Amino acid sequence: MRSKLTFKTLGMTGIEVTEFCLGLLPMSPLQADLPDSECVKIIRKAVNLGVNFFDTAESYGSQPYMGKALQDNRDNLVIATKSTAETYDDMASSVERSLNELQTDYIDIYHLHGARPSIEIFEQRKGALQRLVDLKQQKVIRAVGVATHNVNVVKAAAERDDVDILYVLVNKKGMGILGGSTDDMVEAIKKAADHGKGLYVMKALAGGNLVSEYHEALEWARGLEGINSVSVGIVSEKELLQNLKQFGLKSPETDSVPAEINIKNKKLFILERLCTGCERCVEACPNDALYLEEEKAKVDRDKCILCGYCSNECPEFLIRLV
């Protein structure tokens, strides 16, 4: 017997998405750095199995292979991407780059990419946000979003007419949440949903820290009031099938994979002896998990959610997820 993935509507946007969203960060150059051909193969496999929702970002380096995988399927898929641009003109450049790399003439959801900032993001990136609003009116993008780890941003965005969708960090242990606790974020999510915002989750597995609690962690996130979809990153077809099985897809391919997830626990590795102490990784970390000690970068593993943003900033290429 076959079954399909569940579809939900993102708030009041009218955008229908699969409850499972494929997050492209883990396969991107910031993390596993899979060959483009392998990434395209995984994405197309997801599409063939019914997934219609994909999340990427300008900074991940994954837009180009998402673009390659889009061919002949564009109008059936929902693509979310994001930029750290702050000004009106810089956001215009980011969106143009996204359109080119994604090989499309419109983008479904475009986020302000603001993991670390609190509510100052709305003032600091006022120009960038206005550009997204203007592009929405021009039908270049369908919805304006904010990707955040911060409880206060979710609360503030709930009451803003210029934000349609929120991509929020939340997990059952509260790892990586800024500006409050797990309960605070759950309350903020409900508030945003009550105001008609579309919401989907990042880091339900805390970047891999909760792999040992895989089933419980994902079901907890799926059950949150107001959440329309959960983004999960994968780096192989087997992981894709295991996750789709967890989200209720029944097919000959998902039936063939074991129920127990088999994903290797990752950790952040820093080649400390060659570290110059420049602090760029510390500044890039959205969760204050990195610090300097005796002029060498160190990691607090209780705070690290394995996002990989730090590795992209190291000028000596000394940081890896392994």
Side-chain angles (χ1 to χ4, degrees):
M1 181 178 179
R2 291 174 176 267
S3 68
K4 296 181 180 180
L5 292 169
T6 299
F7 279 75
K8 295 186 178 182
T9 302
L10 287 167
M12 297 177 66
T13 65
I15 299 174
E16 292 190 351
V17 297
T18 44
E19 188 189 8
F20 173 87
C21 170
L22 179 56
L24 271 59
L25 174 59
M27 66 177 74
S28 78
L30 291 186
Q31 293 198 10
D33 195 16
L34 298 182
D36 282 13
S37 59
E38 183 64 20
C39 296
V40 171
K41 182 180 178 182
I42 292 170
I43 294 167
R44 286 179 174 165
K45 170 66 75 172
V47 172
N48 290 337
L49 290 170
V51 177
N52 88 322
F53 193 17
F54 299 85
D55 183 88
T56 182
E58 181 182 35
S59 62
Y60 296 170
S62 52
Q63 290 183 154
Y65 48 74
M66 186 71 231
K68 293 176 184 176
L70 278 177
Q71 302 308 305
D72 302 322
N73 289 298
R74 177 66 188 100
D75 291 339
N76 298 318
L77 305 181
V78 175
I79 310 301
T81 192
K82 39 193 124 48
S83 168
T84 58
E86 296 186 358
T87 69
Y88 192 88
D89 289 341
D90 285 348
M91 182 57 83
S93 297
S94 288
V95 174
E96 186 62 29
R97 177 183 176 185
S98 294
L99 291 167
N100 289 334
E101 291 184 347
L102 290 168
Q103 300 182 43
T104 182
D105 57 4
Y106 72 96
I107 294 168
D108 301 280
I109 304 164
Y110 214 106
H111 294 290
L112 295 182
H113 196 173
R116 182 197 290 258
S118 187
I119 56 173
E120 69 272 8
I121 190 174
F122 296 111
E123 182 60 31
Q124 291 174 349
R125 304 191 191 178
K126 181 169 59 177
L129 181 56
Q130 185 59 53
R131 184 63 174 186
L132 292 179
V133 171
D134 291 347
L135 289 169
K136 179 185 172 184
Q137 293 176 343
Q138 298 166 23
K139 302 188 184 304
V140 176
I141 64 175
R142 297 175 64 193
V144 177
V146 179
T148 182
H149 297 187
N150 198 294
V151 172
N152 295 315
V153 173
V154 178
K155 289 180 178 178
E159 300 179 355
R160 296 183 65 100
D161 293 335
D162 51 4
V163 176
D164 306 306
I165 293 173
L166 289 157
Y167 184 29
V168 299
L169 183 150
V170 67
N171 54 70
K172 67 191 290 280
K173 287 198 173 178
M175 292 187 69
I177 295 175
L178 303 177
S181 65
T182 301
D183 289 342
D184 294 330
M185 184 62 90
V186 170
E187 182 180 343
I189 288 169
K190 185 179 183 305
K191 176 183 177 181
D194 288 344
H195 281 74
K197 308 302 179 186
L199 294 112
Y200 65 113
V201 169
M202 70 174 90
K203 306 298 180 192
L205 297 174
N209 283 293
L210 300 183
V211 166
S212 62
E213 303 173 52
Y214 170 79
H215 301 285
E216 297 83 357
L218 279 184
E219 290 309 302
W220 181 89
R222 293 176 69 189
L224 289 176
E225 184 177 354
I227 291 300
N228 310 125
S229 185
V230 178
S231 177
V232 184
I234 54 93
V235 295
S236 70
E237 286 194 21
K238 182 178 180 180
E239 287 184 12
L240 173 67
L241 293 173
Q242 287 176 315
N243 277 287
L244 293 182
K245 187 172 188 174
Q246 179 69 23
F247 278 77
L249 180 66
K250 294 184 183 298
S251 72
E253 288 181 283
T254 56
D255 288 345
S256 69
V257 297
E260 293 305 314
I261 195 72
N262 182 26
I263 300 175
K264 177 184 176 183
N265 279 306
K266 297 180 290 185
K267 66 178 181 179
L268 193 74
F269 172 78
I270 304 173
L271 188 58
E272 293 180 11
R273 63 183 178 84
L274 297 179
C275 176
T276 62
C278 71
E279 290 193 276
R280 285 177 57 176
C281 62
V282 176
E283 294 169 0
C285 178
N287 296 292
D288 297 321
L290 296 179
Y291 60 97
L292 287 191
E293 185 176 283
E294 297 180 352
E295 299 185 348
K296 301 292 183 183
K298 306 280 186 178
V299 58
D300 182 341
R301 300 200 184 279
D302 290 333
K303 294 182 177 180
C304 180
I305 58 170
L306 305 167
C307 63
Y309 292 173
C310 56
S311 63
N312 198 45
E313 292 298 321
C314 179
E316 308 297 330
F317 307 103
L318 305 179
I319 305 176
R320 289 286 183 271
L321 289 174
V322 297

